[in-house]
Amino acid sequence: MDIEKATAKGSNGVPGVVMAVVNKDGDYVFKETAGYLSVEEDAAPIQFDTTFSVASFTKLITTIAALQCVERGQITLDEPTDKLLPELAALPLIEPAENAEQPFMLKEATNNITLRHLLTHTSGVCYDVMDPTVMAWRASRGEESMATKPDILKAFGHPRIFEAGESWSYGPSIDWAGFLVGRLNKTTLGEYCEENIFTPLKMESTTWRLDQKPSVEERLMPISLRMPDGKFVTGPANFVSERPIVDELGGAGLHTSVPDYTRVLADLLKESPTLLKKETVDMMFTPQFEVGSKPHDGEYKQAALTSRGLVGGTIHEGIRPILNFGLGAMVTVEDIKTDVYYKPKGTLSWSGMPNLVWAINRELGLAWVYATQILPWDDDFSFNLAMQFETKVWKMKP
């Protein structure tokens, strides 16, 4: 694919992309920029230090923050979080009902929620917009979706869809984990990460709060929205645009650059990481679900919705045992190989809604980032380009 031609200016162009591959020393094995900040005729070329609204890329950062708390002995992965997060513990379970006048039923939950549940999306919380029964609950209150509202208790204080540990659902579990980090340290998630992640790695272009780092906002790539006819229009200002921010969302809302984010990935590749102990990083890459368990089956059932761009579009029954979840992201337990795509065993990866993807493989000693700002998620052009990029990455020498 001719990237420069595909991302050229004009009505038929596609917003630009930044791609990078980094090794455990933090050195770039490959980096490239192509195209422009938008499809407007006067759009400036995209730069390597362009900043992005990275949406669910945020989850990796929050996972690291939570695991730092575990290392300090502030909490364990498997103790109840009820006393620290009583608002979460009090959320009822919701089930669909056959009564048209009352389309849902609520009942009290019984299982305690742990940090491991939060970091593996097995707590029972979901994004409201992804579940019709939860949206019926919203409608009964005269509310619309609050999935990106930067206010934890309002956005994610809705009923849960299953008992903790009994299934898997992509949602705000890691947002609640970030809220927990703040409470454990008597601060906010943003302030905690600034001190314990961003400053140690010299990540000067990373923040939830753009007003605190104007240079990040000045370099922020605007989001472009692809219409049904394939043409682009200007999208929202950034993924989580509401201000003021009540809470930093641990699952979304972060703004960063590829140079900053690859510092985190490179640190996870190191024999002696800066942010975490090596044995803690080992846990991140360890599959958390037994094959055939309720959480494992739940992950597979949602894979077509959440993971197509992470597994080369190969969502079928045969891939069920290959997919698993580590702490904070998806992990592959076997190689995924097709005629056009390759993802090796032991790869930890996830995506961000504006069609961003990251992945890291410690055995190969490489990590990569693909960054753009296109909605809706799973844009075919971006998906195909990222898939081709990933396949080439794993054949590189670190």
Side-chain angles (χ1 to χ4, degrees):
M1 178 179 291
D2 188 332
I3 298 174
E4 287 289 354
K5 182 178 180 180
T7 56
K9 283 185 182 179
S11 60
N12 294 319
V14 175
V17 60
V18 176
M19 295 180 286
V21 184
V22 67
N23 62 22
K24 62 184 179 181
D25 296 321
D27 297 327
Y28 288 107
V29 178
F30 173 89
K31 62 179 182 178
E32 183 172 349
T33 64
Y36 297 82
L37 294 176
S38 74
V39 292
E40 301 295 331
E41 288 296 331
D42 61 349
I46 197 169
Q47 303 295 321
F48 192 63
D49 67 347
T50 289
T51 53
F52 302 87
S53 300
V54 294
S56 290
F57 268 37
T58 310
K59 291 178 171 65
L60 177 64
I61 304 300
T62 305
T63 297
I64 291 170
L67 291 174
Q68 288 178 335
C69 297
V70 173
E71 289 186 345
R72 291 195 201 94
Q74 293 174 293
I75 192 170
T76 67
L77 282 170
D78 297 310
E79 68 184 79
T81 59
D82 300 28
K83 292 183 179 179
L84 289 164
L85 297 175
E87 303 92 341
L88 175 60
L91 296 180
L93 301 181
I94 192 168
E95 295 179 349
E98 296 181 358
N99 187 339
E101 295 181 0
Q102 182 63 38
F104 59 85
M105 299 183 296
L106 299 176
K107 66 177 183 179
E108 185 176 352
T110 59
N111 291 2
N112 297 122
I113 297 174
T114 67
L115 179 56
R116 192 185 302 272
H117 290 140
L118 296 177
L119 297 183
T120 58
H121 296 291
T122 56
S123 70
V125 297
C126 68
Y127 287 127
D128 56 15
V129 73
M130 295 173 70
D131 188 273
T133 310
V134 175
M135 286 306 295
W137 178 86
R138 285 276 189 217
S140 74
R141 299 160 58 89
E143 299 172 350
E144 296 181 348
S145 171
M146 297 186 185
T148 61
K149 186 178 182 65
D151 183 327
I152 299 289
L153 299 183
K154 288 184 179 180
F156 309 128
H158 56 72
R160 294 186 285 132
I161 59 174
F162 56 80
E163 288 277 12
E166 293 297 310
S167 190
W168 190 93
S169 180
Y170 189 54
S173 287
I174 296 181
D175 295 273
W176 281 105
F179 202 49
L180 177 64
V181 169
R183 285 191 170 171
L184 285 170
N185 294 279
K186 297 180 173 57
T187 185
T188 67
L189 176 63
E191 290 174 349
Y192 176 89
C193 289
E194 187 66 45
E195 180 179 349
N196 295 280
I197 297 177
F198 305 157
T199 296
L201 295 188
K202 299 181 180 179
M203 297 168 62
E204 298 178 356
S205 295
T206 303
T207 185
W208 276 270
R209 300 178 183 268
L210 293 171
D211 57 333
Q212 294 181 359
K213 293 186 179 181
S215 65
V216 177
E217 187 166 25
E218 290 169 3
R219 292 179 283 121
L220 188 62
M221 182 179 183
I223 288 178
S224 295
L225 180 64
R226 191 191 291 276
M227 304 304 288
D229 64 2
K231 295 182 179 180
F232 283 98
V233 297
T234 301
N238 58 72
F239 185 66
V240 181
S241 57
E242 183 175 337
R243 298 186 195 183
I245 294 175
V246 177
D247 303 302
E248 295 93 354
L249 299 184
L254 194 65
H255 311 282
T256 191
S257 65
V258 168
D260 271 18
Y261 206 82
T262 51
R263 289 188 178 97
V264 177
L265 300 181
D267 190 62
L268 295 176
L269 286 170
K270 292 178 180 177
E271 286 296 320
S272 299
T274 298
L275 299 179
L276 294 170
K277 297 176 182 177
K278 185 177 183 298
E279 52 265 34
T280 304
V281 180
D282 290 343
M283 288 194 299
M284 293 177 67
F285 284 77
T286 300
Q288 297 295 302
F289 306 147
E290 291 186 13
V291 174
S293 65
K294 291 180 180 179
H296 186 259
D297 285 348
E299 180 190 10
Y300 172 79
K301 288 174 182 177
Q302 279 202 327
L305 180 64
T306 61
S307 305
R308 184 174 84 97
L310 300 175
V311 293
T314 331
I315 302 297
H316 52 77
E317 183 63 26
I319 206 171
R320 183 188 295 258
I322 297 175
L323 293 182
N324 212 295
F325 212 81
L327 295 178
M330 188 186 77
V331 64
T332 54
V333 296
E334 296 178 26
D335 290 352
I336 300 175
K337 289 183 178 180
T338 72
D339 292 340
V340 296
Y341 180 72
Y342 173 58
K343 183 188 288 288
K345 173 183 177 180
T347 300
L348 193 73
S349 57
W350 204 246
S351 61
M353 183 171 279
N355 289 283
L356 307 97
V357 188
W358 65 264
I360 177 171
N361 188 290
R362 293 192 300 166
E363 183 174 345
L364 296 179
L366 293 172
W368 61 269
V369 173
Y370 174 99
T372 188
Q373 298 281 259
I374 294 173
L375 290 177
W377 177 82
D378 209 17
D379 175 71
D380 279 339
F381 171 87
S382 300
F383 160 66
N384 289 325
L385 185 55
M387 181 178 69
Q388 293 175 40
F389 178 49
E390 176 171 25
T391 300
K392 291 182 179 180
V393 167
W394 303 129
K395 298 177 182 179
M396 293 181 177
K397 293 183 179 180

